[in-house]
Amino acid sequence: SGGVNVVSQWFPPKERAFAAGVFNGGATIGSMIAPPLLVLITIHLGWRMAFIVPSAMGLVWACVWRFVYYRPERHPYVSAAELEYIHEGRERETGDPPSNLQLLARRDVWGLMLLRAIAGPVSQFYIFWLPEYLYRERGLSLASIGLFAWIPFFFGDVGSIGGGWLAGQLIKRGWTVRKARMFTMYLGAGLCLIGFGVTSASSANGALALICLVLLGHYGLSANFFARISDLMPGTATSRVTGLTGIAQGASGFAFPLLTGFLVDHTGYTPVFALTALMPLAGVACLSLLNRSTDSPSQG
């Protein structure tokens, strides 16, 4: 939620998806370097340190961020011209911030929550279950998983930044913000359908190649989803709405691993990959149905 709030504070609508893609890409960079790093830590320092080291790094970063971050209006090196550019295309906010009940009464908020609840577990599945799938179904060793499991998340990083860039280019060409966002999200969801072919791939390399394309699309969708929150919500509500979507994903993220474990034990991975192929498209459709409003090329 903090990242979305920062994007809404520092970027005009036409640049938000690219900015969201960059910060969302940071998560995929973490997923990219985590497998080999955690394998090395586990081998040399033990499994307990594989939990302690990342946690300590997160605490250090939170402390650094607390002391270096400023809102644009308070930043000592932001000029008046830069501030005017940041505020370009925004609707002027008046009145009191909406309450949580007022936010929950909005159809577009429920659309955002449903999208994240339905599509969010897909990335969690690939992050947490990919090593197990490669080990159990494709016969890769722990060392091999550490060498190769990061590659799909590199493609996720490309998709995150590329999806944001694409939406920004479409807006600059005159597309409305909503049309550009929805097109890019549907495009990403379409790539996720490639997940149907993962379990039928003839080799581990083939399966990894298909997973790379899935994550390319999924993270491109994700970048525009986070940007859409800042498009639709006033700045005083972006963090809270992002938090509400996080609660929605938390609920589905609790249930989906249980379903995944049941399906893997009783039927194998094929139905799980099929579900994760369809879920992003279903989530985007929910947002599309609940957020039908139109907007100008410069406003969200």
Side-chain angles (χ1 to χ4, degrees), residues 53-78:
V53 171
S55 299
M57 292 171 65
L59 287 173
V60 170
W61 169 245
C63 292
V64 172
W65 179 261
R66 172 65 181 81
F67 289 102
V68 301
Y69 179 74
Y70 293 89
R71 291 175 62 94
E73 296 81 5
R74 299 178 181 177
H75 200 287
Y77 300 114
V78 173

Side-chain angles (χ1 to χ4, degrees), residues 150-240:
W150 63 271
I151 298 175
F153 297 100
F154 170 77
F155 278 81
D157 204 32
V158 173
S160 184
I161 297 173
W165 174 85
L166 176 59
Q169 292 300 307
L170 293 174
I171 293 169
K172 289 178 181 178
R173 291 176 180 269
W175 289 42
T176 66
V177 174
R178 179 186 186 277
K179 184 179 179 181
R181 298 274 191 261
M182 296 310 303
F183 172 81
T184 312
M185 284 191 278
Y186 271 120
L187 181 63
L191 282 175
C192 290
L193 294 175
I194 294 172
F196 275 108
V198 171
T199 56
S200 59
S202 59
S203 66
N205 288 339
L208 278 172
L210 295 179
I211 292 170
C212 287
L213 294 176
V214 170
L215 291 185
L216 179 77
H218 186 274
Y219 281 98
L221 184 165
S222 179
N224 281 277
F225 162 76
F226 286 118
R228 193 59 181 153
I229 296 176
S230 60
D231 293 338
L232 293 171
M233 300 299 129
T236 53
T238 52
S239 290
R240 282 182 291 148

Side-chain angles (χ1 to χ4, degrees), residues 2-277:
V4 175
N5 196 37
V6 169
V7 168
S8 70
Q9 291 174 2
W10 277 91
F11 294 90
K14 64 185 179 183
E15 295 184 359
R16 285 176 183 167
F18 182 74
V22 172
F23 92 72
N24 196 45
T28 59
I29 291 174
S31 298
M32 186 172 68
I33 66 176
L37 179 62
L38 293 177
V39 167
L40 286 174
I41 293 174
T42 302
I43 291 174
H44 295 287
L45 301 176
W47 65 268
R48 292 179 178 84
M49 294 303 294
F51 289 89
I52 294 173
V53 171
S55 299
M57 292 171 65
L59 287 173
V60 170
W61 169 245
C63 292
V64 172
W65 179 261
R66 172 65 181 81
F67 289 102
V68 301
Y69 179 74
Y70 293 89
R71 291 175 62 94
E73 296 81 5
R74 299 178 181 177
H75 200 287
Y77 300 114
V78 173
S79 67
E82 289 171 323
L83 197 59
E84 182 179 356
Y85 178 77
I86 290 170
H87 290 155
E88 179 185 339
R90 299 187 185 191
E91 294 182 2
R92 187 176 182 86
E93 295 178 16
T94 58
D96 296 328
S99 68
N100 291 336
L101 288 177
Q102 288 174 320
L103 291 173
L104 289 171
R106 294 180 54 161
R107 287 165 52 90
D108 50 9
V109 171
W110 281 100
L112 293 165
M113 291 172 64
L114 284 172
L115 193 161
R116 193 167 181 186
I118 297 171
V122 175
S123 59
Q124 292 178 331
F125 166 71
Y126 281 101
I127 291 170
F128 296 115
W129 286 85
L130 180 59
E132 206 276 342
Y133 169 73
L134 294 175
Y135 176 79
R136 180 191 290 200
E137 301 295 326
R138 296 296 178 173
L140 297 187
S141 66
L142 181 63
S144 296
I145 291 170
L147 285 173
F148 298 110
W150 63 271
I151 298 175
F153 297 100
F154 170 77
F155 278 81
D157 204 32
V158 173
S160 184
I161 297 173
W165 174 85
L166 176 59
Q169 292 300 307
L170 293 174
I171 293 169
K172 289 178 181 178
R173 291 176 180 269
W175 289 42
T176 66
V177 174
R178 179 186 186 277
K179 184 179 179 181
R181 298 274 191 261
M182 296 310 303
F183 172 81
T184 312
M185 284 191 278
Y186 271 120
L187 181 63
L191 282 175
C192 290
L193 294 175
I194 294 172
F196 275 108
V198 171
T199 56
S200 59
S202 59
S203 66
N205 288 339
L208 278 172
L210 295 179
I211 292 170
C212 287
L213 294 176
V214 170
L215 291 185
L216 179 77
H218 186 274
Y219 281 98
L221 184 165
S222 179
N224 281 277
F225 162 76
F226 286 118
R228 193 59 181 153
I229 296 176
S230 60
D231 293 338
L232 293 171
M233 300 299 129
T236 53
T238 52
S239 290
R240 282 182 291 148
V241 172
T242 306
L244 289 172
T245 66
I247 292 172
Q249 181 178 340
S252 61
F254 173 79
F256 192 73
L258 298 176
L259 177 62
T260 299
F262 176 83
L263 291 174
V264 168
D265 286 342
H266 290 82
T267 62
Y269 274 95
T270 298
V272 184
F273 278 101
L275 277 173
T276 55

